[in-house]
Amino acid sequence: VMGTYAYMAPEQIAGAEVDHRSDLYSLGVTLYEALAGSRPFHARGAAGYLRAHRDGDAALLDDVRPDAPARLRDLVHRLMERNPAARPGSAGIAWALLTGGSGNERSLRNAPLIGRGAAVGALEAAIDAGGVAVLVGEIGSGTGRMASWVLEHARAEGFETIAIRCRDRAAPM
């Protein structure tokens, strides 16, 4: 067994069969620590951590960080389920639980556009003048996020909008 016992899934510490759900457990422990400011379990050595992860009870994030988004707290507890079958079946499912697939009240907001002050200013000026905004960029450059922002802003101002999105490497039409 290789790794840091504090972040390992119980089945991994025990040397049993592991799969992607073991990584999801480790993600849950990491998120727990990020939110709570401390690890969910404290022990010494493999045997101590195996007992702690298998039998110990971590403090509920509802008690430790009631101000954290409800979906995030719930996801962390689901990721840290002792039984691998009770954990989300994939990272995609975990993401859906966090962002709205579970039916809980949405409590996470989109992050603000950071480091885009000049672009945001130029887009606001174009919209305020009743002009046209054309965004062009490579996949992963943030143009999709900027386009969503500019559409929302223009529609909030009552402007008529048309949006065309080209994908892959095809020429825009």
Side-chain angles (χ1 to χ4, degrees):
V1 176
M2 293 181 61
T4 305
Y5 297 122
Y7 299 92
M8 288 182 164
E11 66 273 14
Q12 188 175 10
I13 297 171
E17 187 80 21
V18 297
D19 60 17
H20 62 282
R21 293 171 297 183
S22 300
D23 292 333
L24 292 173
Y25 182 92
S26 299
L27 174 63
V29 172
T30 303
L31 290 172
Y32 183 100
E33 183 176 8
L35 287 169
S38 65
R39 293 178 181 160
F41 307 108
H42 301 279
R44 289 187 179 209
Y49 272 108
L50 177 58
R51 276 192 301 279
H53 284 267
R54 190 183 57 210
D55 304 325
D57 288 321
L60 292 175
L61 286 173
D62 296 350
D63 298 332
V64 178
R65 285 297 307 272
D67 58 324
R71 283 188 183 173
L72 181 57
R73 293 188 319 252
D74 181 56
L75 176 63
V76 170
H77 290 295
R78 287 181 183 209
L79 291 170
M80 289 178 52
E81 286 287 343
R82 290 183 174 104
N83 180 355
R87 296 177 203 143
S90 69
I93 292 171
W95 178 253
L97 292 170
L98 180 63
T99 59
S102 68
N104 290 340
E105 180 181 336
R106 184 178 178 100
S107 58
L108 296 177
R109 291 173 178 53
N110 286 333
L113 293 168
I114 298 171
R116 304 282 184 157
V120 168
L123 290 168
E124 284 179 329
I127 292 169
D128 291 344
V132 174
V134 178
L135 296 167
V136 179
E138 295 294 320
I139 292 173
S141 66
T143 53
R145 182 94 189 282
M146 290 293 293
S148 295
W149 178 88
V150 76
L151 274 171
E152 183 179 315
H153 185 75
R155 288 175 179 157
E157 294 294 320
F159 288 100
E160 187 174 330
T161 60
I162 299 172
I164 300 172
R165 184 172 188 162
C166 300
R167 290 189 176 227
D168 297 319
R169 296 182 189 257
M173 302 183 73

